[in-house]
Amino acid sequence: MADIIRINENTWSIEDGMVRFFVLEGDDSALMIDSGMTTGGSIAKELAQSIVGTDKPLLLLNTHGDRDHVAGNNAFDSCYMNKAEEDNYRMAGGTTKINYVEDKDVINLGNRELEIILIPGHTPGSIAIYDRNSRSLFAGDSVQNSDIFMFGPKRNIGNYIMSLEKLLTMSDKFDTIYGSHGSLTVPVDQIECLLDYVTTIRDSYVPGIVVDMWGNKILLHKFPKAGFFVELPVDRAVSTEVMRKSDAWTISNLTSSKELMSRAGTSIVVAATSMGLISSPVAIVCGKGNNAGDGFVVANILKSKGIQCEIYLLCPDSFSDDGKYYFDECVANGISYKTFTPDTDLNGYSAIVDCIFGTGFRGVPEGIFADAINAINNSSAKVISADINSGINGDTGEGTIYVKSDLTVSIGSYKTGHFKGVSLEAMKAISNCDIGIVIGEYENE
């Protein structure tokens, strides 16, 4: 049964599990904001009338039409809603007649004026309600401190950012914000926090946790004061051939390969640290070529931070030129290194960095490479894979023997193989690090 909480003498929240809705009373009428998730039939309406009685008209206004906000709508003859939300509402099973409200419209309950603020993004017709008398904002799902849904065809991050910017310009009018999820109230500066968070998601490649939502793989970006469920960044992914050519063009025209390797290793440490995955001791398992070179950079950075680390070499006599440069730095810095053998046990490490294969790997790992992958998977350490989980094809995402990671740090750009095949089961979280590789510029020559 939903719980009723009295906020003040004429405002109540009805706590309906993971969502809440509100009842506001004026001198002439009362208004219910949304109608809950489990309060179908006439339950929501009866709860509201138990609060305000039946003498005053009871109106219904929806912040948006998602299913968890409209369960009790059909007990009303009509509801207030923005027109852009009608399709979403009908898809959720709503049959009630809609009285359309627009930005800056005012609903007067009798000495209580409620101003409509159109804030699309979470859904096309999301609105907030500004209670002028109490200087309060009822923000629906758009401003809260829980996890906000921003995936699926109805969501639009660009519009959501503009809506937060709009609310930010009005924030001097609000003393209190009421959210439909999470805490009952959030501070006004939550608007600015959410704007910072979602802008970061749009403009960069912060780590996202791979989650299953109703059979769909999506990413959850967690921040200190909120989270966002978003689409997999499939549209940002490129083939390994595009990545190879882009890398070569960048090295020929802009940045040395040694500098790019330094940036890659640095980015791996930053991304892993941001998720709390790095602590002493750390094992860095290196194959050959530039994949190993990224690991040597990681080792040097961890050493500079006072984090104990050891390097395991699968190919102790095979270095790229840049990899050898950074390996020599590791030796000069006194970092321990060992040759990996079939008997090597990686238990006892807090974290393992997987730098065995890159996105160009094809086939099935064999011999010492398969042994290393199995040792990583059999350890209790947190695992960070550089660029892609070793053993997985960077284009198809297929693999039979492959590393299972807590975080995969893609370098330069996501690859198509990150979002296909076994990849989404192999990695718990993914991030991409932009190290300055210009994608696709070679095509303009």
Side-chain angles (χ1 to χ4, degrees), residues 95-116:
T95 59
T96 303
K97 175 188 173 184
I98 299 175
N99 300 315
Y100 300 128
V101 290
E102 302 295 338
D103 190 44
K104 298 182 180 179
D105 282 354
V106 174
I107 298 174
N108 193 336
L109 303 181
N111 292 320
R112 191 172 192 179
E113 293 184 339
L114 307 175
E115 180 181 342
I116 305 301

PDB file of all heavy atoms in Angstrom, residues 95-116:
ATOM      1  N   THR A  95      -5.852   5.988 -21.531  1.00  0.00           N
ATOM      2  CA  THR A  95      -6.994   6.247 -22.412  1.00  0.00           C
ATOM      3  C   THR A  95      -7.702   7.558 -22.088  1.00  0.00           C
ATOM      4  O   THR A  95      -8.589   7.986 -22.823  1.00  0.00           O
ATOM      5  CB  THR A  95      -8.011   5.094 -22.299  1.00  0.00           C
ATOM      6  OG1 THR A  95      -8.457   4.985 -20.940  1.00  0.00           O
ATOM      7  CG2 THR A  95      -7.383   3.777 -22.727  1.00  0.00           C
ATOM      8  N   THR A  96      -7.304   8.195 -21.003  1.00  0.00           N
ATOM      9  CA  THR A  96      -7.978   9.413 -20.537  1.00  0.00           C
ATOM     10  C   THR A  96      -7.851  10.545 -21.558  1.00  0.00           C
ATOM     11  O   THR A  96      -6.817  10.694 -22.211  1.00  0.00           O
ATOM     12  CB  THR A  96      -7.353   9.865 -19.202  1.00  0.00           C
ATOM     13  OG1 THR A  96      -7.455   8.795 -18.271  1.00  0.00           O
ATOM     14  CG2 THR A  96      -8.040  11.090 -18.660  1.00  0.00           C
ATOM     15  N   LYS A  97      -8.871  11.332 -21.678  1.00  0.00           N
ATOM     16  CA  LYS A  97      -8.813  12.539 -22.499  1.00  0.00           C
ATOM     17  C   LYS A  97      -7.727  13.461 -21.959  1.00  0.00           C
ATOM     18  O   LYS A  97      -7.575  13.619 -20.746  1.00  0.00           O
ATOM     19  CB  LYS A  97     -10.156  13.262 -22.469  1.00  0.00           C
ATOM     20  CG  LYS A  97     -10.146  14.603 -23.195  1.00  0.00           C
ATOM     21  CD  LYS A  97     -11.443  15.365 -22.962  1.00  0.00           C
ATOM     22  CE  LYS A  97     -11.343  16.780 -23.561  1.00  0.00           C
ATOM     23  NZ  LYS A  97     -12.561  17.578 -23.273  1.00  0.00           N
ATOM     24  N   ILE A  98      -6.985  14.088 -22.862  1.00  0.00           N
ATOM     25  CA  ILE A  98      -5.895  14.967 -22.446  1.00  0.00           C
ATOM     26  C   ILE A  98      -6.276  16.422 -22.689  1.00  0.00           C
ATOM     27  O   ILE A  98      -6.691  16.805 -23.788  1.00  0.00           O
ATOM     28  CB  ILE A  98      -4.594  14.645 -23.211  1.00  0.00           C
ATOM     29  CG1 ILE A  98      -4.142  13.219 -22.932  1.00  0.00           C
ATOM     30  CG2 ILE A  98      -3.501  15.634 -22.838  1.00  0.00           C
ATOM     31  CD1 ILE A  98      -2.942  12.785 -23.745  1.00  0.00           C
ATOM     32  N   ASN A  99      -6.149  17.238 -21.661  1.00  0.00           N
ATOM     33  CA  ASN A  99      -6.214  18.694 -21.791  1.00  0.00           C
ATOM     34  C   ASN A  99      -4.773  19.181 -21.904  1.00  0.00           C
ATOM     35  O   ASN A  99      -3.992  19.039 -20.962  1.00  0.00           O
ATOM     36  CB  ASN A  99      -6.904  19.324 -20.575  1.00  0.00           C
ATOM     37  CG  ASN A  99      -8.325  18.829 -20.410  1.00  0.00           C
ATOM     38  OD1 ASN A  99      -9.082  18.744 -21.367  1.00  0.00           O
ATOM     39  ND2 ASN A  99      -8.699  18.474 -19.179  1.00  0.00           N
ATOM     40  N   TYR A 100      -4.419  19.734 -23.039  1.00  0.00           N
ATOM     41  CA  TYR A 100      -3.027  20.072 -23.294  1.00  0.00           C
ATOM     42  C   TYR A 100      -2.591  21.299 -22.500  1.00  0.00           C
ATOM     43  O   TYR A 100      -3.339  22.281 -22.379  1.00  0.00           O
ATOM     44  CB  TYR A 100      -2.803  20.344 -24.778  1.00  0.00           C
ATOM     45  CG  TYR A 100      -3.126  19.170 -25.667  1.00  0.00           C
ATOM     46  CD1 TYR A 100      -3.977  19.317 -26.763  1.00  0.00           C
ATOM     47  CD2 TYR A 100      -2.586  17.908 -25.418  1.00  0.00           C
ATOM     48  CE1 TYR A 100      -4.284  18.241 -27.581  1.00  0.00           C
ATOM     49  CE2 TYR A 100      -2.886  16.828 -26.225  1.00  0.00           C
ATOM     50  CZ  TYR A 100      -3.742  17.005 -27.308  1.00  0.00           C
ATOM     51  OH  TYR A 100      -4.038  15.930 -28.111  1.00  0.00           O
ATOM     52  N   VAL A 101      -1.392  21.234 -21.962  1.00  0.00           N
ATOM     53  CA  VAL A 101      -0.781  22.390 -21.303  1.00  0.00           C
ATOM     54  C   VAL A 101       0.522  22.707 -22.007  1.00  0.00           C
ATOM     55  O   VAL A 101       1.224  21.809 -22.497  1.00  0.00           O
ATOM     56  CB  VAL A 101      -0.521  22.128 -19.800  1.00  0.00           C
ATOM     57  CG1 VAL A 101      -1.813  22.064 -19.023  1.00  0.00           C
ATOM     58  CG2 VAL A 101       0.298  20.858 -19.585  1.00  0.00           C
ATOM     59  N   GLU A 102       0.849  23.985 -22.047  1.00  0.00           N
ATOM     60  CA  GLU A 102       2.048  24.450 -22.711  1.00  0.00           C
ATOM     61  C   GLU A 102       2.949  25.189 -21.721  1.00  0.00           C
ATOM     62  O   GLU A 102       2.542  25.492 -20.594  1.00  0.00           O
ATOM     63  CB  GLU A 102       1.686  25.387 -23.882  1.00  0.00           C
ATOM     64  CG  GLU A 102       0.783  24.760 -24.933  1.00  0.00           C
ATOM     65  CD  GLU A 102       1.445  23.615 -25.677  1.00  0.00           C
ATOM     66  OE1 GLU A 102       2.696  23.563 -25.692  1.00  0.00           O
ATOM     67  OE2 GLU A 102       0.717  22.761 -26.233  1.00  0.00           O
ATOM     68  N   ASP A 103       4.134  25.476 -22.172  1.00  0.00           N
ATOM     69  CA  ASP A 103       5.088  26.220 -21.349  1.00  0.00           C
ATOM     70  C   ASP A 103       4.484  27.552 -20.908  1.00  0.00           C
ATOM     71  O   ASP A 103       3.864  28.271 -21.708  1.00  0.00           O
ATOM     72  CB  ASP A 103       6.361  26.469 -22.165  1.00  0.00           C
ATOM     73  CG  ASP A 103       7.502  27.016 -21.325  1.00  0.00           C
ATOM     74  OD1 ASP A 103       7.705  26.493 -20.217  1.00  0.00           O
ATOM     75  OD2 ASP A 103       8.186  27.937 -21.789  1.00  0.00           O
ATOM     76  N   LYS A 104       4.627  27.860 -19.642  1.00  0.00           N
ATOM     77  CA  LYS A 104       4.179  29.110 -19.004  1.00  0.00           C
ATOM     78  C   LYS A 104       2.674  29.155 -18.738  1.00  0.00           C
ATOM     79  O   LYS A 104       2.181  30.160 -18.212  1.00  0.00           O
ATOM     80  CB  LYS A 104       4.611  30.340 -19.810  1.00  0.00           C
ATOM     81  CG  LYS A 104       6.124  30.486 -19.924  1.00  0.00           C
ATOM     82  CD  LYS A 104       6.511  31.743 -20.685  1.00  0.00           C
ATOM     83  CE  LYS A 104       8.023  31.872 -20.792  1.00  0.00           C
ATOM     84  NZ  LYS A 104       8.428  33.082 -21.554  1.00  0.00           N
ATOM     85  N   ASP A 105       1.935  28.097 -19.106  1.00  0.00           N
ATOM     86  CA  ASP A 105       0.531  28.040 -18.688  1.00  0.00           C
ATOM     87  C   ASP A 105       0.454  28.021 -17.164  1.00  0.00           C
ATOM     88  O   ASP A 105       1.392  27.579 -16.486  1.00  0.00           O
ATOM     89  CB  ASP A 105      -0.151  26.785 -19.228  1.00  0.00           C
ATOM     90  CG  ASP A 105      -0.529  26.892 -20.698  1.00  0.00           C
ATOM     91  OD1 ASP A 105      -0.364  27.982 -21.264  1.00  0.00           O
ATOM     92  OD2 ASP A 105      -0.971  25.872 -21.269  1.00  0.00           O
ATOM     93  N   VAL A 106      -0.674  28.507 -16.628  1.00  0.00           N
ATOM     94  CA  VAL A 106      -0.871  28.536 -15.177  1.00  0.00           C
ATOM     95  C   VAL A 106      -2.187  27.838 -14.827  1.00  0.00           C
ATOM     96  O   VAL A 106      -3.225  28.111 -15.431  1.00  0.00           O
ATOM     97  CB  VAL A 106      -0.876  29.986 -14.642  1.00  0.00           C
ATOM     98  CG1 VAL A 106      -1.222  30.003 -13.154  1.00  0.00           C
ATOM     99  CG2 VAL A 106       0.466  30.660 -14.891  1.00  0.00           C
ATOM    100  N   ILE A 107      -2.104  26.935 -13.879  1.00  0.00           N
ATOM    101  CA  ILE A 107      -3.301  26.304 -13.312  1.00  0.00           C
ATOM    102  C   ILE A 107      -3.492  26.893 -11.917  1.00  0.00           C
ATOM    103  O   ILE A 107      -2.614  26.779 -11.055  1.00  0.00           O
ATOM    104  CB  ILE A 107      -3.142  24.777 -13.236  1.00  0.00           C
ATOM    105  CG1 ILE A 107      -2.964  24.180 -14.632  1.00  0.00           C
ATOM    106  CG2 ILE A 107      -4.343  24.146 -12.524  1.00  0.00           C
ATOM    107  CD1 ILE A 107      -2.665  22.694 -14.631  1.00  0.00           C
ATOM    108  N   ASN A 108      -4.646  27.518 -11.696  1.00  0.00           N
ATOM    109  CA  ASN A 108      -4.917  28.186 -10.420  1.00  0.00           C
ATOM    110  C   ASN A 108      -5.889  27.331  -9.613  1.00  0.00           C
ATOM    111  O   ASN A 108      -7.030  27.105 -10.016  1.00  0.00           O
ATOM    112  CB  ASN A 108      -5.501  29.577 -10.649  1.00  0.00           C
ATOM    113  CG  ASN A 108      -5.494  30.421  -9.392  1.00  0.00           C
ATOM    114  OD1 ASN A 108      -5.473  29.883  -8.274  1.00  0.00           O
ATOM    115  ND2 ASN A 108      -5.516  31.728  -9.550  1.00  0.00           N
ATOM    116  N   LEU A 109      -5.429  26.843  -8.472  1.00  0.00           N
ATOM    117  CA  LEU A 109      -6.263  26.011  -7.605  1.00  0.00           C
ATOM    118  C   LEU A 109      -7.065  26.839  -6.608  1.00  0.00           C
ATOM    119  O   LEU A 109      -7.792  26.277  -5.785  1.00  0.00           O
ATOM    120  CB  LEU A 109      -5.379  25.017  -6.836  1.00  0.00           C
ATOM    121  CG  LEU A 109      -4.497  24.083  -7.669  1.00  0.00           C
ATOM    122  CD1 LEU A 109      -3.707  23.149  -6.761  1.00  0.00           C
ATOM    123  CD2 LEU A 109      -5.318  23.295  -8.662  1.00  0.00           C
ATOM    124  N   GLY A 110      -6.912  28.168  -6.716  1.00  0.00           N
ATOM    125  CA  GLY A 110      -7.541  29.049  -5.740  1.00  0.00           C
ATOM    126  C   GLY A 110      -6.491  29.506  -4.757  1.00  0.00           C
ATOM    127  O   GLY A 110      -6.162  28.772  -3.812  1.00  0.00           O
ATOM    128  N   ASN A 111      -5.945  30.712  -4.986  1.00  0.00           N
ATOM    129  CA  ASN A 111      -4.838  31.233  -4.171  1.00  0.00           C
ATOM    130  C   ASN A 111      -3.622  30.298  -4.175  1.00  0.00           C
ATOM    131  O   ASN A 111      -2.816  30.298  -3.238  1.00  0.00           O
ATOM    132  CB  ASN A 111      -5.291  31.485  -2.728  1.00  0.00           C
ATOM    133  CG  ASN A 111      -6.284  32.622  -2.634  1.00  0.00           C
ATOM    134  OD1 ASN A 111      -6.133  33.643  -3.313  1.00  0.00           O
ATOM    135  ND2 ASN A 111      -7.313  32.440  -1.814  1.00  0.00           N
ATOM    136  N   ARG A 112      -3.509  29.523  -5.227  1.00  0.00           N
ATOM    137  CA  ARG A 112      -2.329  28.670  -5.403  1.00  0.00           C
ATOM    138  C   ARG A 112      -2.099  28.478  -6.906  1.00  0.00           C
ATOM    139  O   ARG A 112      -2.772  27.681  -7.562  1.00  0.00           O
ATOM    140  CB  ARG A 112      -2.508  27.324  -4.717  1.00  0.00           C
ATOM    141  CG  ARG A 112      -1.194  26.521  -4.662  1.00  0.00           C
ATOM    142  CD  ARG A 112      -1.317  25.284  -3.807  1.00  0.00           C
ATOM    143  NE  ARG A 112      -0.011  24.709  -3.558  1.00  0.00           N
ATOM    144  CZ  ARG A 112       0.226  23.629  -2.832  1.00  0.00           C
ATOM    145  NH1 ARG A 112      -0.798  22.996  -2.258  1.00  0.00           N
ATOM    146  NH2 ARG A 112       1.445  23.173  -2.657  1.00  0.00           N
ATOM    147  N   GLU A 113      -1.145  29.244  -7.432  1.00  0.00           N
ATOM    148  CA  GLU A 113      -0.877  29.236  -8.864  1.00  0.00           C
ATOM    149  C   GLU A 113       0.273  28.289  -9.190  1.00  0.00           C
ATOM    150  O   GLU A 113       1.359  28.368  -8.590  1.00  0.00           O
ATOM    151  CB  GLU A 113      -0.539  30.647  -9.350  1.00  0.00           C
ATOM    152  CG  GLU A 113      -1.713  31.608  -9.268  1.00  0.00           C
ATOM    153  CD  GLU A 113      -1.380  32.970  -9.858  1.00  0.00           C
ATOM    154  OE1 GLU A 113      -0.171  33.283  -9.960  1.00  0.00           O
ATOM    155  OE2 GLU A 113      -2.314  33.696 -10.230  1.00  0.00           O
ATOM    156  N   LEU A 114       0.025  27.406 -10.146  1.00  0.00           N
ATOM    157  CA  LEU A 114       1.017  26.428 -10.577  1.00  0.00           C
ATOM    158  C   LEU A 114       1.401  26.715 -12.021  1.00  0.00           C
ATOM    159  O   LEU A 114       0.554  26.652 -12.923  1.00  0.00           O
ATOM    160  CB  LEU A 114       0.443  25.013 -10.460  1.00  0.00           C
ATOM    161  CG  LEU A 114      -0.151  24.630  -9.100  1.00  0.00           C
ATOM    162  CD1 LEU A 114      -0.780  23.242  -9.175  1.00  0.00           C
ATOM    163  CD2 LEU A 114       0.906  24.679  -8.007  1.00  0.00           C
ATOM    164  N   GLU A 115       2.652  27.046 -12.227  1.00  0.00           N
ATOM    165  CA  GLU A 115       3.141  27.384 -13.569  1.00  0.00           C
ATOM    166  C   GLU A 115       3.777  26.163 -14.229  1.00  0.00           C
ATOM    167  O   GLU A 115       4.579  25.460 -13.626  1.00  0.00           O
ATOM    168  CB  GLU A 115       4.166  28.520 -13.493  1.00  0.00           C
ATOM    169  CG  GLU A 115       4.715  28.928 -14.855  1.00  0.00           C
ATOM    170  CD  GLU A 115       5.750  30.037 -14.760  1.00  0.00           C
ATOM    171  OE1 GLU A 115       5.796  30.723 -13.717  1.00  0.00           O
ATOM    172  OE2 GLU A 115       6.521  30.201 -15.730  1.00  0.00           O
ATOM    173  N   ILE A 116       3.408  25.926 -15.481  1.00  0.00           N
ATOM    174  CA  ILE A 116       3.944  24.807 -16.249  1.00  0.00           C
ATOM    175  C   ILE A 116       5.275  25.218 -16.887  1.00  0.00           C
ATOM    176  O   ILE A 116       5.383  26.275 -17.513  1.00  0.00           O
ATOM    177  CB  ILE A 116       2.961  24.366 -17.351  1.00  0.00           C
ATOM    178  CG1 ILE A 116       1.586  24.043 -16.761  1.00  0.00           C
ATOM    179  CG2 ILE A 116       3.529  23.188 -18.139  1.00  0.00           C
ATOM    180  CD1 ILE A 116       1.597  22.945 -15.729  1.00  0.00           C
TER     181      ILE A 116
END
